Amino acid sequence: MNERIAGLKKIGLNEYEARAYVSLVGLREASAREILDAGEIPQGRIYDVLKDLANKGFVEILDGSPTYYRAIDPAEVMQSMSAEYSHLLQQSMDTLKNLHIESPSGYPFWIIHNEPAIVNRIFTLLRSAEKEVIIFSSNPDFFGQFAEELRRVRKNCDLHIIVDDPGKFRFRSLKFRQANEEFFYIMGDIVQDGITYRNIFSIIIDEKESFDVMNMGTKRIGVVTKLPVISYIIKRWLRHLDLLDDEGNRCMK
């Protein structure tokens, strides 16, 4: 019984509601007295508990003297709740999709610590690209999450992908350029205060915004830079290193 009560509490019932419903499922149809005895529910709470269960769709009230209560079949209850939760989840998703919060204009840099948020940021940037996307990666596992989206991006944008070792990046229909020694002189590992900072993925979108994902010791962070001048300087530097292929990945079959 305790396991069943714990399960019902997870879907929104309180302790007494869960006890009453489990007891009534076993009794099938019963008076308030029988339910409170079976479920060990305080006498002063039983009628409020049963009324709340009826409002939530768990119980039917059979008027009479005395009043009787009947449990609605658990399968019907769960099916109804599933449909309601699906509807609420869809509403929440639609609301969040339309939510746009501008970052404070006085802060062109900020850090993201949550990995799902880091991945979502990259997808958002890729979908916003209009002309050009420049990427550096040293981690094929992390890069692989975006391979399919990059194939879509290259149809409309110039796509440049620089990697530490093209042999590690076996993704069809994408072209990789190997970084050179001078590149790693700037973009290689940095050790500060005993902590190693390793860049695993960087992206520049339309010379407007850059986003760097790095391992900071055992942690992973994402650094947002919304300074177009920084993106412009990095692009010029990459051209100086001859790492931006004029053909890129655009329209490559």
Side-chain angles (χ1 to χ4, degrees), residues 186-203:
I186 300 295
M187 296 292 289
D189 293 356
I190 299 173
V191 179
Q192 185 172 352
D193 297 328
I195 299 174
T196 299
Y197 295 79
R198 175 168 296 167
N199 186 305
I200 66 166
F201 189 96
S202 294
I203 183 170

Side-chain angles (χ1 to χ4, degrees), residues 2 26 30 43 45 48 56 60 62 68 87 104-105 109 113 115 127-128 145 155 157 166 192 197 199 206 231-232:
N2 288 338
Q43 185 171 348
R45 296 287 308 277
D48 287 338
K56 293 177 179 180
E60 292 178 342
L62 309 176
Y68 271 76
H87 177 67
S105 58
F109 304 94
H113 294 273
E115 180 142 2
R127 289 163 186 160
S128 71
Q145 301 174 86
K155 296 177 182 178
C157 299
Q192 185 172 352
Y197 295 79
N199 186 305
D206 297 330
S231 298
Y232 174 77

